[in-house]
Amino acid sequence: MTAEPMRLGVCYYPEHWPETQWADDAARMVAAGLSRVRVGEFAWSRIEPEAGRFDWGWLDRAIAVLHAAGLGVILGTPTATPPKWLVDTMPDMVALDADGHPRGFGSRRHYCFSHAPYRDEAVRITRAVAERYGQNPAVVAWQTDNEYGCHDTAISYSASALKAFRHWLKARYGTIEHLNQAWGNVFWSMEYPSFCAVDLPNQTVTEANPAHWLAFRRFSSDQVAAFNRAQVEALRDLSPGRDVMHNAMGFFTQFDHHDLAADLDVVGWDSYPLGFLDSFRFDAADKLAYARQGHPDIAAFHHDLYRGCTQGGRWWVIEQQPGPVNWSAHNPAPLPGMVRLWTLEAMAHGAELVSYFRWRQFPMAQEQNHAGLLRPDSSAAPGLAEARAAADDIAALGPAGAATRQAALVFSYDADWITQIQPQGRGFSALWAAFECYSALRRMGLNVDIVPPGRSLDGYALCVVPCLPHVPEGLVGELQNFAGQIVIGPRSGSRTAEFAIPDGLAPGVLRPLLPLKVTHVESLPPGLSHQGDGWHAARWLDHAEGDAEAEFVAADGTVAGWRYGRTRYLASWPERDLVDALLGRAAGDAGLACHTLPDGVRLRRAGELTFAFNYSAMAAELPRSQAGTPILGARRMDPASVCVLKA
Ligand code: GAL
């Protein structure tokens, strides 16, 4: 948590606008309360119009103009958009999709992470930009590339990927016998005679071996991290002392962000709550109720996830939705007040920066319907005044204090790959199990930190492990030493690191905490459920036996929740009523003060402040159980409003 007030910024593309406009743009940014500006991340064709010929003049002048206005520049490396001349010199640098089709030129992200000559080119252009601007006082930070994996690009099935995968397998398994044994390749005569004989897992007749898929997913993730690391090393060399950040996305698990973050100072993320609500698996009622606000847990979930990615907990919102976007099936405008609300919510969760995407709507090309803070004719769009209002609020509030530790929620990317590879029941996903548990904790008004397995649990009263099929070393010991209440969710401990059922069956290495044996699992079709007292179990059942107490037992005897000492086991999908009941008991036993919040209202405590956010389209009253005096807003909260209480 920084002692400085949160900053505001904006994403700007000087190359899109006449140079005569830059100074006025910069002055208006400052007048709007912005102090950071991100530039350059797609500008390769303007920086290096042909191989080896650099045109720095325009960027020199743009950076100078922004700096002169008082803005700190966050400079992007332009590697998400390799220009046409480069693609033409190495046509095999493009990624191939799962059907073997090349991802062609004409948009962005058309490169394969495993293509070694392209990686060299990415380092070359990074070094060129960093040599030019690495010591420039205007440049305060770097962004590597842009949204690794966006448009489904972290995974490539190219010849370069195949070659690199075989090397990766050799390094991991040593001998082909070991690989065959680890994957269980005796099944269906899948044994390989050598590493050179192993193919990628796409294009098999029916599903490929899940262990093969998991290895390929881990490899693909490692390729992203290695690609990023090569740029980070160049930046650290040529621009020491500046923060290096990458911008992550929403509900995106194609690579392990904990690994990526190990090389970064700051994790950024791109927050588009309305686009995410419309594009992802929210039910129709929520999509309607929150169409102009976003589901109340979408932004917060990612704030808490990405804050947990770096050891230091430093994170930014580097792209904040300022109005309608262009890329979802439906693109409504935010309710008046939401841009300010999203901004202050990021502050409440400890962001150092919120930067709006983008400054001015561009009247051409793919994103012409994507709002900016300005309209294409430079008149102010609604987001501009809300950014200004948020800047005033931030100044009035001063820095938020350190967040109160209440609940830790353990999430791993590996877990999500396992449930994607082998859902066993349609829609079963470790990511969405995590989101459901997170939402339940937030409905109780709790602060949640999302942490990787093995991170210290000191200071928390409750630890929730929503779904962790493979439990990495470190977590069991951490949980055994943890004094608080523990909740473990379905399928946890059900697989080894190599995607096999563990000896002694699930929950495997978690057995010291849960003396149970999962004898069999079931996934249930829609409509088939087991009714309990105020809850129901649906979608998934881990049937277990053992010494724990059956705590949530349906009328027909089906056990949906177990308890052993301070550990609870949710043996079914976290349906809202069931997870509310089970987590409610765990939070109560943990001594956490929970609240019954009106629909759409959420809280976040930081230092002496409690922030309340009304995501509902209706007015709402803060419950009496939440003490404090408003220093911003009022306890009776209008739609899309914020209230900040001081203890
Ligand atoms: C992000 C991306 C931006 C822009 C934006 C539009 O995914 O990083 O470049 O395309 O979406 O919402």
Side-chain angles (χ1 to χ4, degrees):
M1 178 69 56
T2 164
E4 287 192 16
M6 186 178 82
R7 289 179 179 275
L8 299 182
V10 72
C11 304
Y12 185 51
Y13 300 90
E15 67 274 27
H16 296 176
W17 310 106
E19 200 165 326
T20 48
Q21 209 161 357
W22 296 348
D24 186 51
D25 282 343
R28 288 180 80 184
M29 289 174 196
V30 173
L34 314 180
S35 61
R36 292 285 181 260
V37 56
R38 185 191 70 178
V39 302
E41 81 277 12
F42 299 127
W44 196 336
S45 72
R46 288 297 172 98
I47 292 171
E48 191 184 17
E50 55 190 85
R53 181 169 72 78
F54 291 92
D55 181 359
W56 298 114
W58 70 273
L59 189 52
D60 289 353
R61 294 190 296 278
I63 288 176
V65 166
L66 296 166
H67 187 47
L71 294 153
V73 172
I74 299 161
L75 192 50
T77 68
T79 50
T81 47
K84 187 71 166 78
W85 60 258
L86 177 58
V87 180
D88 286 345
T89 63
M90 45 172 83
D92 62 345
M93 62 164 277
V94 300
L96 298 194
D97 71 13
D99 295 324
H101 300 133
R103 319 260 346 235
F105 182 84
S107 63
R108 59 181 173 183
R109 300 220 56 78
H110 37 281
Y111 67 84
C112 171
F113 282 95
S114 297
H115 192 270
Y118 180 63
R119 198 181 291 181
D120 293 345
E121 281 295 301
V123 171
R124 184 185 63 80
I125 189 69
T126 299
R127 290 193 72 87
V129 178
E131 265 157 16
R132 184 85 188 178
Y133 301 110
Q135 308 288 338
N136 187 317
V139 175
V140 296
W142 293 91
Q143 174 179 300
T144 54
D145 202 284
N146 189 78
E147 291 191 341
Y148 291 132
C150 184
H151 318 302
D152 197 16
T153 55
I155 299 172
S156 165
Y157 301 88
S158 67
S160 319
L162 174 60
K163 187 171 158 211
F165 183 48
R166 288 171 176 167
H167 282 293
W168 186 93
L169 291 174
K170 176 126 183 39
R172 181 176 173 99
Y173 297 100
T175 65
I176 196 67
E177 292 75 22
H178 183 207
L179 179 149
N180 283 324
Q181 199 272 333
W183 290 8
N185 281 338
V186 61
F187 191 75
W188 287 354
S189 272
M190 294 184 296
E191 286 163 303
Y192 294 102
S194 68
F195 287 108
C196 312
V198 184
D199 285 324
L200 300 180
N202 60 327
Q203 302 198 330
T204 50
V205 173
T206 182
E207 61 177 308
N209 186 339
H212 188 172
W213 268 118
L214 183 60
F216 182 60
R217 298 296 301 267
R218 288 176 174 153
F219 154 80
S220 300
S221 175
D222 285 357
Q223 294 300 91
V224 175
F227 184 90
N228 182 65
R229 191 172 307 124
Q231 292 198 18
V232 173
E233 282 165 3
L235 295 171
R236 300 239 184 264
D237 180 26
L238 296 164
S239 189
R242 263 85 170 172
D243 287 328
V244 182
M245 177 272 309
H246 177 76
N247 55 334
M249 293 182 286
F251 298 117
F252 186 80
T253 59
Q254 275 188 12
F255 64 87
D256 188 326
H257 292 54
H258 296 122
D259 283 351
L260 189 91
D263 294 312
L264 300 170
D265 300 296
V266 177
V267 174
W269 87 277
D270 298 343
S271 181
Y272 294 94
L274 304 193
F276 296 149
L277 175 75
D278 190 66
S279 300
F280 288 98
R281 53 183 270 181
F282 293 91
D283 60 33
D286 278 352
K287 285 196 182 201
L288 212 52
Y290 297 118
R292 295 185 185 282
Q293 306 95 292
H295 182 284
D297 300 313
I298 290 179
F301 176 78
H302 294 92
H303 296 338
D304 293 341
L305 172 67
Y306 293 128
R307 192 182 55 251
C309 281
T310 60
Q311 281 288 346
R314 296 186 57 200
W315 65 282
W316 303 345
V317 174
I318 190 68
E319 295 182 15
Q320 171 63 62
Q321 174 167 5
V325 299
N326 63 300
W327 45 260
S328 197
H330 316 94
N331 299 295
L335 220 56
M338 283 313 298
V339 173
R340 169 177 173 262
L341 183 153
W342 291 326
T343 307
L344 294 179
E345 189 170 43
M347 171 182 172
H349 287 251
E352 295 177 3
L353 170 71
V354 171
S355 156
Y356 302 95
F357 183 92
R358 49 192 292 146
W359 175 242
R360 186 187 294 104
Q361 184 176 347
F362 191 52
M364 302 174 88
Q366 282 92 330
E367 294 181 349
Q368 47 190 273
N369 284 330
H370 193 299
L373 294 180
L374 301 188
R375 300 191 180 102
D377 67 356
S378 292
S379 59
L384 188 71
E386 293 204 31
R388 179 68 256 180
D392 294 340
D393 295 331
I394 294 162
L397 288 169
T404 316
R405 285 191 167 186
Q406 294 185 311
L409 185 141
V410 178
F411 176 73
S412 95
Y413 287 86
D414 205 73
D416 199 51
W417 302 336
I418 290 175
T419 56
Q420 279 178 26
I421 292 166
Q422 193 177 72
Q424 179 67 12
R426 180 173 300 156
F428 194 106
S429 150
L431 174 68
W432 288 92
F435 186 82
E436 294 300 344
C437 291
Y438 177 85
S439 250
L441 295 166
R442 294 251 304 164
R443 285 193 292 272
M444 294 183 237
L446 297 176
N447 273 12
V448 187
D449 291 328
I450 303 178
V451 297
R455 181 73 58 83
S456 163
L457 298 173
D458 283 356
Y460 296 102
L462 173 64
C463 175
V464 181
V465 183
C467 172
L468 207 59
H470 162 54
V471 176
E473 275 174 38
L475 180 61
V476 180
E478 195 61 46
L479 289 173
Q480 281 177 308
N481 293 332
F482 178 57
Q485 295 288 310
I486 299 169
V487 174
I488 293 184
R491 299 180 73 168
S492 296
S494 65
R495 289 295 178 276
T496 65
E498 293 296 333
F499 218 125
I501 295 172
D503 291 344
L505 310 186
V509 295
L510 291 170
R511 192 158 291 113
L513 292 149
L514 279 172
L516 286 172
K517 180 159 97 172
V518 176
T519 54
H520 61 292
V521 302
E522 284 189 277
S523 55
L524 308 178
L528 188 56
S529 69
H530 299 267
Q531 194 58 47
D533 183 11
W535 54 267
H536 74 296
R539 298 190 220 206
W540 186 268
L541 286 170
D542 280 340
H543 292 281
E545 58 188 32
D547 291 337
E549 167 204 347
E551 193 183 23
F552 286 84
V553 185
D556 63 3
T558 303
V559 183
W562 298 84
R563 179 177 184 190
Y564 182 72
R566 61 202 169 79
T567 304
R568 284 185 167 82
Y569 178 41
L570 171 64
S572 185
W573 180 256
E575 292 292 339
R576 189 173 289 203
D577 51 11
L578 174 59
V579 75
D580 280 353
L582 191 143
L583 287 179
R585 283 196 200 175
D589 289 347
L592 291 168
C594 298
H595 302 280
T596 305
L597 296 170
D599 278 352
V601 171
R602 295 292 188 270
L603 305 177
R604 173 82 188 173
R605 267 166 280 281
E608 291 186 302
L609 305 182
T610 297
F611 290 73
F613 303 95
N614 185 10
Y615 272 86
S616 164
M618 321 267 276
E621 184 81 30
L622 281 180
R624 285 174 186 283
S625 58
Q626 176 56 61
T629 311
I631 56 166
L632 185 81
R635 297 186 74 99
R636 168 128 187 114
M637 300 183 69
D638 289 334
S641 74
V642 180
C643 173
V644 182
L645 304 164
K646 198 161 189 171

